[in-house]
């Protein structure tokens, strides 16, 4: 019975160690995933909404929040 308890204790410590190790490894992975310039914002030419440059739809030197607004802006300019 004492041996079984000892084995269970060792198993519990091993499991805790693994969980802690995994928990400690996580923040370094998420921090490296953040883009270098998250504050780089652009304004949608159609509705004026501010959106991250990486998410914006680009047309020359103009930026749009969505492809739909790009098309709407093109229709407005061609008329
Ligand atoms: Zn827009």
């Amino acid at each position: 019975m004492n041996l079984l308890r000892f084995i269970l204790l060792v198993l519990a410590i091993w499991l805790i160690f693994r969980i802690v190790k995994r928990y400690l490894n996580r923040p370094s992975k998420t921090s490296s995933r953040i883009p270098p310039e998250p504050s780089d914002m652009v304004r949608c030419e159609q509705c004026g909404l501010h959106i991250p440059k990486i998410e914006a739809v680009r047309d020359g030197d103009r930026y749009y929040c969505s492809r739909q607004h790009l098309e709407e802006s093109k229709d407005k300019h061609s008329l």
Side-chain angles (χ1 to χ4, degrees), residues 10-11 17 20 37 53 56 63 68 71-72 78:
V10 168
L11 258 165
F17 183 78
V20 168
E37 285 175 60
K53 203 173 183 176
Y63 291 96
Q68 195 197 330
E71 300 296 331
E72 280 177 25
S78 62

PDB file of all heavy atoms in Angstrom, residues 10-11 17 20 37 53 56 63 68 71-72 78:
ATOM      1  N   VAL A  10       4.643  10.157  -7.073  1.00  0.00           N
ATOM      2  CA  VAL A  10       5.624  10.425  -8.131  1.00  0.00           C
ATOM      3  C   VAL A  10       4.905  10.792  -9.435  1.00  0.00           C
ATOM      4  O   VAL A  10       5.267  11.754 -10.116  1.00  0.00           O
ATOM      5  CB  VAL A  10       6.580   9.217  -8.320  1.00  0.00           C
ATOM      6  CG1 VAL A  10       7.406   9.347  -9.588  1.00  0.00           C
ATOM      7  CG2 VAL A  10       7.485   9.053  -7.109  1.00  0.00           C
ATOM      8  N   LEU A  11       3.839  10.054  -9.749  1.00  0.00           N
ATOM      9  CA  LEU A  11       3.039  10.327 -10.949  1.00  0.00           C
ATOM     10  C   LEU A  11       2.406  11.723 -10.891  1.00  0.00           C
ATOM     11  O   LEU A  11       2.417  12.453 -11.876  1.00  0.00           O
ATOM     12  CB  LEU A  11       1.940   9.276 -11.081  1.00  0.00           C
ATOM     13  CG  LEU A  11       2.206   8.167 -12.106  1.00  0.00           C
ATOM     14  CD1 LEU A  11       1.245   7.013 -11.895  1.00  0.00           C
ATOM     15  CD2 LEU A  11       2.047   8.687 -13.531  1.00  0.00           C
ATOM     16  N   PHE A  17       4.615  18.818 -12.904  1.00  0.00           N
ATOM     17  CA  PHE A  17       5.830  19.326 -13.560  1.00  0.00           C
ATOM     18  C   PHE A  17       5.601  19.548 -15.057  1.00  0.00           C
ATOM     19  O   PHE A  17       5.985  20.570 -15.611  1.00  0.00           O
ATOM     20  CB  PHE A  17       6.977  18.335 -13.326  1.00  0.00           C
ATOM     21  CG  PHE A  17       8.294  18.798 -13.891  1.00  0.00           C
ATOM     22  CD1 PHE A  17       9.042  19.754 -13.216  1.00  0.00           C
ATOM     23  CD2 PHE A  17       8.791  18.274 -15.072  1.00  0.00           C
ATOM     24  CE1 PHE A  17      10.254  20.192 -13.721  1.00  0.00           C
ATOM     25  CE2 PHE A  17       9.992  18.706 -15.586  1.00  0.00           C
ATOM     26  CZ  PHE A  17      10.732  19.669 -14.912  1.00  0.00           C
ATOM     27  N   VAL A  20       3.175  22.576 -15.528  1.00  0.00           N
ATOM     28  CA  VAL A  20       3.894  23.836 -15.249  1.00  0.00           C
ATOM     29  C   VAL A  20       4.848  24.165 -16.395  1.00  0.00           C
ATOM     30  O   VAL A  20       4.910  25.303 -16.848  1.00  0.00           O
ATOM     31  CB  VAL A  20       4.626  23.755 -13.880  1.00  0.00           C
ATOM     32  CG1 VAL A  20       5.613  24.903 -13.697  1.00  0.00           C
ATOM     33  CG2 VAL A  20       3.623  23.724 -12.728  1.00  0.00           C
ATOM     34  N   GLU A  37       4.482  45.757 -35.671  1.00  0.00           N
ATOM     35  CA  GLU A  37       3.837  47.071 -35.588  1.00  0.00           C
ATOM     36  C   GLU A  37       2.322  46.920 -35.553  1.00  0.00           C
ATOM     37  O   GLU A  37       1.651  47.047 -36.576  1.00  0.00           O
ATOM     38  CB  GLU A  37       4.254  47.944 -36.782  1.00  0.00           C
ATOM     39  CG  GLU A  37       5.668  48.486 -36.651  1.00  0.00           C
ATOM     40  CD  GLU A  37       6.081  49.237 -37.905  1.00  0.00           C
ATOM     41  OE1 GLU A  37       5.413  50.223 -38.245  1.00  0.00           O
ATOM     42  OE2 GLU A  37       7.058  48.819 -38.540  1.00  0.00           O
ATOM     43  N   LYS A  53      -3.390  48.061 -40.884  1.00  0.00           N
ATOM     44  CA  LYS A  53      -2.917  48.064 -42.270  1.00  0.00           C
ATOM     45  C   LYS A  53      -2.878  46.660 -42.872  1.00  0.00           C
ATOM     46  O   LYS A  53      -3.184  46.487 -44.052  1.00  0.00           O
ATOM     47  CB  LYS A  53      -1.510  48.681 -42.309  1.00  0.00           C
ATOM     48  CG  LYS A  53      -1.132  49.255 -43.651  1.00  0.00           C
ATOM     49  CD  LYS A  53       0.201  49.988 -43.542  1.00  0.00           C
ATOM     50  CE  LYS A  53       0.576  50.634 -44.863  1.00  0.00           C
ATOM     51  NZ  LYS A  53       1.819  51.421 -44.753  1.00  0.00           N
ATOM     52  N   ALA A  56      -6.326  45.680 -44.020  1.00  0.00           N
ATOM     53  CA  ALA A  56      -6.961  46.582 -44.980  1.00  0.00           C
ATOM     54  C   ALA A  56      -6.851  46.054 -46.408  1.00  0.00           C
ATOM     55  O   ALA A  56      -5.926  45.332 -46.744  1.00  0.00           O
ATOM     56  CB  ALA A  56      -6.320  47.950 -44.883  1.00  0.00           C
ATOM     57  N   TYR A  63      -6.832  52.910 -48.969  1.00  0.00           N
ATOM     58  CA  TYR A  63      -7.103  51.709 -48.148  1.00  0.00           C
ATOM     59  C   TYR A  63      -8.587  51.623 -47.839  1.00  0.00           C
ATOM     60  O   TYR A  63      -9.251  52.648 -47.663  1.00  0.00           O
ATOM     61  CB  TYR A  63      -6.306  51.768 -46.842  1.00  0.00           C
ATOM     62  CG  TYR A  63      -4.820  51.621 -47.055  1.00  0.00           C
ATOM     63  CD1 TYR A  63      -4.007  52.742 -47.156  1.00  0.00           C
ATOM     64  CD2 TYR A  63      -4.236  50.363 -47.141  1.00  0.00           C
ATOM     65  CE1 TYR A  63      -2.641  52.628 -47.357  1.00  0.00           C
ATOM     66  CE2 TYR A  63      -2.877  50.222 -47.330  1.00  0.00           C
ATOM     67  CZ  TYR A  63      -2.076  51.355 -47.444  1.00  0.00           C
ATOM     68  OH  TYR A  63      -0.732  51.223 -47.641  1.00  0.00           O
ATOM     69  N   GLN A  68     -15.833  45.146 -50.398  1.00  0.00           N
ATOM     70  CA  GLN A  68     -17.110  45.760 -50.772  1.00  0.00           C
ATOM     71  C   GLN A  68     -16.984  47.286 -50.844  1.00  0.00           C
ATOM     72  O   GLN A  68     -17.473  47.914 -51.778  1.00  0.00           O
ATOM     73  CB  GLN A  68     -18.176  45.363 -49.747  1.00  0.00           C
ATOM     74  CG  GLN A  68     -19.610  45.640 -50.209  1.00  0.00           C
ATOM     75  CD  GLN A  68     -20.605  45.623 -49.067  1.00  0.00           C
ATOM     76  OE1 GLN A  68     -20.414  44.920 -48.086  1.00  0.00           O
ATOM     77  NE2 GLN A  68     -21.661  46.384 -49.188  1.00  0.00           N
ATOM     78  N   GLU A  71     -15.061  48.394 -53.922  1.00  0.00           N
ATOM     79  CA  GLU A  71     -15.915  48.379 -55.113  1.00  0.00           C
ATOM     80  C   GLU A  71     -16.867  49.575 -55.119  1.00  0.00           C
ATOM     81  O   GLU A  71     -17.062  50.221 -56.150  1.00  0.00           O
ATOM     82  CB  GLU A  71     -16.714  47.065 -55.179  1.00  0.00           C
ATOM     83  CG  GLU A  71     -15.864  45.791 -55.250  1.00  0.00           C
ATOM     84  CD  GLU A  71     -15.017  45.689 -56.518  1.00  0.00           C
ATOM     85  OE1 GLU A  71     -15.422  46.229 -57.552  1.00  0.00           O
ATOM     86  OE2 GLU A  71     -13.932  45.065 -56.455  1.00  0.00           O
ATOM     87  N   GLU A  72     -17.445  49.885 -53.936  1.00  0.00           N
ATOM     88  CA  GLU A  72     -18.376  51.021 -53.816  1.00  0.00           C
ATOM     89  C   GLU A  72     -17.680  52.338 -54.141  1.00  0.00           C
ATOM     90  O   GLU A  72     -18.230  53.197 -54.807  1.00  0.00           O
ATOM     91  CB  GLU A  72     -18.954  51.079 -52.388  1.00  0.00           C
ATOM     92  CG  GLU A  72     -20.087  50.095 -52.165  1.00  0.00           C
ATOM     93  CD  GLU A  72     -20.605  50.109 -50.733  1.00  0.00           C
ATOM     94  OE1 GLU A  72     -20.460  51.137 -50.058  1.00  0.00           O
ATOM     95  OE2 GLU A  72     -21.137  49.066 -50.300  1.00  0.00           O
ATOM     96  N   SER A  78     -16.207  56.530 -60.672  1.00  0.00           N
ATOM     97  CA  SER A  78     -16.404  56.368 -62.115  1.00  0.00           C
ATOM     98  C   SER A  78     -17.633  57.112 -62.607  1.00  0.00           C
ATOM     99  O   SER A  78     -17.748  57.447 -63.773  1.00  0.00           O
ATOM    100  CB  SER A  78     -16.495  54.873 -62.459  1.00  0.00           C
ATOM    101  OG  SER A  78     -17.604  54.292 -61.819  1.00  0.00           O
TER     102      SER A  78
END
